[in-house]
Amino acid sequence: ENNTLDSLISVRDDHPKLLYVEGEPRWEYKFIRRSVADDPSLVVESLLRSSQNKYYRQGIAVETTLAEGFPKKKEDLFAYSGIVFGSIESTFFTLDQQNMIVDFVKERGGGFLMLGGKNSFSSGRYQNTPIADILPVDLLPDRALPVVEKVRLVLTDYGKTHNLMRLSGDPATNNKIWNQLPPLEDFNRVGEAKPGGVVLARGDPESSGGNPILLAFQRYGRGRAMVFATGSSWHWQMEMDHEDQTHEL
């Protein structure tokens, strides 16, 4: 009864900012933005390429934000806590910008996530770029186009216990929720996980695509880099009950 300890707690109201860069209007972009729209703890600023040299900005509080496209200065990029790449090819970024993204993860301690798409991973020619170095998986040497077929996401043994994959506090219920999600309709084929990479989910081994890595992460310097090798998680919203919150989580 007398085991007490006094401590000072600093309560911060950070509202971390995320930068989401998307190369084309697509369902995944629409539903990701919709999923975070009602989350007061996040600020998601997005740069969407609507056509050649034309961009649509959403979530910005200041008119000048991203007015010139992707940040060209470290201080502008380092104002964010995380970066998300959608279907956007590597040549969209200069070499200096790619190195700046690496420093964002390694030095600033930011998070980086690459989503699947027709211009992601090897299909977006990211092999042999600085960004390929921070990814938790190897990229295939050729320009491997996304595989268009239905595939179910299956948690690995590590994924079943990881907080990131927790949709329910009960392990059995959590695994059941994941197993009942609608199948994805595409995925980008990547190589194996790097020595420091942690695979959280793979594709159903019964599909013709084999047992592809769908979700993985690794620590890189002070930050973390992740891959989610599909562009069709929006099915987890459209094919579920409208009150279901699984996609948002």
Side-chain angles (χ1 to χ4, degrees), residues 13 32 39 64 106 130 135 154 164 174 191 207 231-232:
D13 188 15
I32 287 177
D39 190 339
T64 56
K106 180 172 63 175
L135 298 180
V154 179
L164 183 65
N174 185 65
S207 67
S232 56

Side-chain angles (χ1 to χ4, degrees), residues 63-248:
E63 182 59 31
T64 56
T65 300
L66 304 174
E68 298 182 2
F70 191 82
K72 297 179 176 63
K73 299 178 181 178
K74 266 191 174 184
E75 55 266 31
D76 294 332
L77 186 64
F78 282 28
Y80 295 95
S81 298
I83 303 171
V84 179
F85 276 13
S87 182
I88 185 81
E89 67 279 2
S90 63
T91 52
F92 177 81
F93 308 95
T94 66
L95 181 60
D96 286 342
Q97 286 175 322
Q98 292 188 38
N99 285 321
M100 192 165 63
I101 292 168
V102 173
D103 291 340
F104 171 84
V105 179
K106 180 172 63 175
E107 299 175 5
R108 188 245 187 263
F112 177 82
L113 168 64
M114 181 176 287
L115 303 173
K118 68 178 183 180
N119 289 313
S120 303
F121 301 102
S122 297
S123 184
R125 300 189 186 279
Y126 280 93
Q127 59 272 49
N128 302 317
T129 68
I131 292 176
D133 294 337
I134 70 176
L135 298 180
V137 295
D138 293 320
L139 298 185
L140 302 180
D142 57 341
R143 192 178 184 188
L145 296 176
V147 177
V148 181
E149 69 171 37
K150 291 187 180 298
V151 59
R152 287 190 176 276
L153 183 145
V154 179
L155 299 183
T156 62
D157 289 341
Y158 193 87
K160 292 177 182 178
T161 62
H162 199 279
N163 287 337
L164 183 65
M165 313 307 291
R166 184 175 295 175
L167 299 175
S168 170
D170 177 65
T173 303
N174 185 65
N175 201 41
K176 182 179 179 181
I177 293 173
W178 282 105
N179 290 338
Q180 290 179 342
L181 285 177
L184 303 166
E185 67 175 14
D186 59 46
F187 66 91
N188 289 72
R189 197 181 297 282
V190 297
E192 287 305 309
K194 294 178 180 177
V198 177
V199 179
L200 298 175
R202 289 181 175 268
D204 186 342
E206 295 183 1
S207 67
S208 61
N211 191 210
I213 293 175
L214 294 182
L215 185 62
F217 77 90
Q218 74 170 359
R219 302 295 307 184
Y220 190 86
R222 298 178 61 191
R224 180 166 65 177
M226 296 189 66
V227 298
F228 185 37
T230 181
S232 56
S233 70
W234 57 272
H235 284 281
W236 296 344
Q237 180 67 56
M238 281 296 291
E239 297 182 28
M240 299 287 282
D241 185 273
H242 71 282
E243 294 183 352
D244 187 274
Q245 292 292 300
T246 302
H247 181 258
E248 287 81 354

Side-chain angles (χ1 to χ4, degrees), residues 25-66:
R26 60 177 185 158
W27 291 110
E28 193 76 341
Y29 172 81
K30 175 182 178 179
F31 280 90
I32 287 177
R33 280 218 57 94
R34 181 182 291 181
S35 70
V36 299
D38 296 327
D39 190 339
S41 65
L42 287 177
V43 176
V44 181
E45 297 180 345
S46 55
L47 181 68
L48 168 66
R49 181 175 59 191
S50 55
S51 62
Q52 192 66 28
N53 298 320
K54 289 187 178 181
Y55 306 98
Y56 180 51
R57 297 171 293 157
Q58 284 187 275
I60 60 173
V62 182
E63 182 59 31
T64 56
T65 300
L66 304 174

